[in-house]
Amino acid sequence: MPIPVTVFTGFLGSGKTTTILSLLKRLPTEYKACLLKNEFGDIAVDSQLAKETNIGVQEMVNGCLCCVLVGQMKSALQELKEKYNPDRIIVETSGSAFPAPIAWQIREMADEGFVLDSIVTVIDCQNFMGYEDTSYTAKLQAQYTDVILLNKHEQVSERDLDRVIDHVNELNTDTPKVKCGENGAISPDLVFGLDTQLFSNVFDPKHQENEVDLIQVIQQRRGSSLSKDQLVKFLETMPKDDIYRIKGFIRLDQDNALYILNHAFGRHTLTHNYSHGHIVIKTNCDR
């Protein structure tokens, strides 16, 4: 029998870990579950989970499962299977993860004995409307899921909860929305055995070409370089809904050095680099 995999997503601080811990404690003692947890930082802060819940725990740090670490997830799942032979594996993504690449990778492992069972999104009712407008990923997590768990609802008024549910419904009308119990408590029957059809299309390694337009800009240096202030002003004009990412090399006149530019959703970093290159701009594909 293939091992079912349940994926938990949710923005930073939504309460995924607490909800999963509560869920694991409700499982029969003979039911073997494993947790693959992703921390975007470089410290495995939840390694003590194994001691508390008597399950196999593996953490992947310093990157996100849906991008930086996506290729390593297969090895982690295989290792959990070989070491524990579990009845189920739960994948807890980082708060910034989009579930599609994770789902595709799990579906690719069907011949290796894994099946994607469900994608669950945890929403922090106290803060959702604050980060909904600033996080594109939070919206995607709410849109592409089998179940939406309304966590921390007891910390808001009925009126504010209704507003949160209205906002969630605008993103995803049909998906069931369920209030968590105390400490994020949910029943296993709610999230297990769903046999999700989300992202069921065969994975296309060139799927990005169907989702984004890739614009490549190469410009030979002529005269004076761009100043840092000019670059920042330019980046501030980039609309977040259309420009997903800007990444490449640029020379600034402050020290005539080459920098690596990484810009995503209104934030950017500049890192010294002394090789030649170009700037790649990824934009929303109007389809």
Side-chain angles (χ1 to χ4, degrees):
M1 291 290 292
I3 298 174
V5 181
T6 299
V7 177
F8 274 77
T9 70
F11 201 64
L12 296 166
S14 61
K16 297 186 295 295
T17 301
T18 302
T19 299
I20 292 172
L21 280 173
S22 176
L23 173 67
L24 292 172
K25 292 175 182 178
R26 291 169 174 257
L27 297 177
T29 55
E30 67 275 10
Y31 193 89
K32 293 185 293 183
C34 285
L35 173 63
L36 175 58
K37 181 175 175 59
N38 180 209
E39 289 284 2
F40 193 80
D42 58 1
I43 301 176
V45 296
D46 288 320
S47 58
Q48 296 302 312
L49 282 173
K51 297 180 181 180
E52 295 181 18
T53 59
N54 195 31
I55 65 168
V57 177
Q58 184 164 337
E59 289 196 312
M60 299 177 67
V61 300
N62 207 17
C64 183
L65 279 177
C66 76
C67 46
V68 177
L69 301 178
V70 67
Q72 301 177 30
M73 185 177 66
K74 289 185 177 182
S75 298
L77 290 174
Q78 291 166 341
E79 184 176 334
L80 287 173
K81 178 183 178 182
E82 293 171 2
K83 187 174 182 179
Y84 299 102
N85 189 29
D87 296 304
R88 177 176 300 271
I89 295 176
I90 295 173
V91 176
E92 179 185 349
T93 72
S94 70
S96 59
F98 175 43
I102 299 169
W104 280 321
Q105 288 245 335
I106 296 170
R107 291 195 183 281
E108 279 189 318
M109 300 180 70
D111 293 339
E112 301 174 51
F114 298 90
V115 60
L116 178 64
D117 182 37
S118 58
I119 298 175
V120 181
T121 297
V122 181
I123 284 181
D124 174 3
C125 293
Q126 192 173 22
N127 297 301
F128 179 74
M129 290 194 298
Y131 59 66
E132 175 199 6
D133 292 334
T134 58
S135 172
Y136 180 71
T137 301
K139 293 180 181 179
L140 292 178
Q141 292 169 345
Q143 288 174 316
Y144 297 99
T145 180
D146 295 294
V147 178
I148 293 175
L149 300 180
L150 301 172
N151 198 24
K152 306 180 186 179
H153 58 87
E154 69 279 0
Q155 299 179 23
V156 301
S157 66
E158 286 295 328
R159 180 179 179 183
D160 286 342
L161 178 60
D162 288 341
R163 292 175 61 200
V164 170
I165 295 175
D166 286 343
H167 279 241
V168 174
N169 280 331
E170 290 178 4
L171 298 170
N172 189 335
T173 303
D174 299 328
T175 296
K177 300 160 190 69
V178 182
K179 293 181 181 179
C180 294
E182 187 177 358
N183 293 322
I186 56 170
S187 168
D189 294 336
L190 179 65
V191 296
F192 290 173
L194 300 187
D195 189 24
T196 182
Q197 298 303 307
L198 289 171
F199 311 111
S200 57
N201 293 332
V202 177
F203 176 73
D204 177 4
K206 297 184 178 180
H207 69 94
Q208 294 93 344
E209 297 177 5
N210 300 320
E211 297 170 0
V212 297
D213 286 335
L214 182 63
I215 301 175
Q216 186 168 273
V217 179
I218 302 176
Q219 182 175 350
Q220 298 297 324
R221 182 183 179 191
R222 296 187 182 92
S224 61
S225 302
L226 199 66
S227 71
K228 184 176 180 180
D229 288 341
Q230 289 174 321
L231 174 62
V232 171
K233 288 181 180 179
F234 167 74
L235 294 176
E236 289 175 348
T237 66
M238 298 295 100
K240 297 179 183 178
D241 292 337
D242 295 319
I243 307 297
Y244 292 164
R245 194 168 194 179
I246 301 176
K247 191 173 185 179
F249 301 90
I250 188 167
R251 191 177 299 277
L252 300 180
D253 63 8
Q254 62 188 44
D255 53 9
N256 200 33
L258 197 66
Y259 286 82
I260 299 173
L261 169 65
N262 195 338
H263 173 87
F265 303 111
R267 297 182 179 180
H268 75 274
T269 58
L270 286 170
T271 306
H272 273 285
N273 184 272
Y274 298 97
S275 62
H276 297 288
H278 52 269
I279 295 178
V280 175
I281 301 180
K282 296 181 180 179
T283 70
N284 185 14
C285 185
D286 186 12
R287 301 183 185 276

